[in-house]
Amino acid sequence: MIRHAPVIEDEKRLESVHLPNESRIIEREAPKFPAETAFVYSRAPDLILQGRTAYLYPSLLQERTEPFEAMQRRSNGNLIYITGLDCWQGAQQQWQELREMDLCAQVERKFKLEKHSSFRVGDQYDLIFYRVISRQPDPKPSATPSPRPR
């Protein structure tokens, strides 16, 4: 018998406990970046409501390079990719399928990232701020996935 309710309950518990903590950390840390900084985050509207420039993860994943170059230009090279609950690799497999894991993996594979800062959210995962340095050349197909940047 397959049961899905515990996964949904787990998701609701994680979101109700951790997302407010993510929001508080972002509210505290975002002003420390230059005013022209643009953020890439799964909950971009939260940052927009704070008066910041923000994009959703798929914005970086467009095949054409112009959108990325425009983001870099507008942000004066201060493009910050934020990973949190939606990119947490420790989530249950069933729960991950409902989240942004694949988008996070794609961003981390397609872009050179430099870790800026990291904050522990509860005892579960890290909210990490990465500076997006450049777009990686398209990799040749590989049998092994690339590791998450540290």
Side-chain angles (χ1 to χ4, degrees), residues 6 47 68 75 79 86 91 93-94 102 119 125 148:
L47 285 155
F68 168 69
S75 68
L79 187 59
D86 290 311
Q93 182 59 39
Q94 304 96 317
D102 187 49
F119 304 91
Y125 65 97
R148 185 175 187 144

Side-chain angles (χ1 to χ4, degrees), residues 42-79:
S42 63
R43 289 174 186 78
D46 292 352
L47 285 155
I48 292 169
L49 288 172
Q50 295 174 25
R52 302 304 231 152
T53 300
Y55 303 95
L56 294 170
Y57 296 149
S59 301
L60 275 179
L61 297 173
Q62 297 179 31
E63 289 304 314
R64 299 181 348 263
T65 60
E66 293 86 13
F68 168 69
E69 291 168 356
M71 285 183 220
Q72 282 286 59
R73 226 179 3 266
R74 281 193 296 269
S75 68
N76 199 23
N78 293 302
L79 187 59

Side-chain angles (χ1 to χ4, degrees), residues 13-14 17-18 85 88-91 120-126:
R13 182 185 60 77
L14 280 169
V17 171
H18 295 301
L85 185 61
W88 178 37
Q89 294 183 358
R120 194 76 181 154
V121 179
D123 61 352
Q124 298 291 316
Y125 65 97
D126 293 320

Side-chain angles (χ1 to χ4, degrees), residues 10-62:
D10 260 359
E11 180 178 355
K12 286 180 181 174
R13 182 185 60 77
L14 280 169
E15 286 186 351
S16 68
V17 171
H18 295 301
L19 291 181
N21 290 333
E22 277 191 26
S23 292
R24 280 192 288 280
I25 292 168
I26 291 169
E27 281 178 34
R28 183 187 72 220
E29 296 302 313
K32 296 177 182 177
F33 289 92
E36 66 273 8
T37 301
F39 297 90
V40 180
Y41 180 54
S42 63
R43 289 174 186 78
D46 292 352
L47 285 155
I48 292 169
L49 288 172
Q50 295 174 25
R52 302 304 231 152
T53 300
Y55 303 95
L56 294 170
Y57 296 149
S59 301
L60 275 179
L61 297 173
Q62 297 179 31

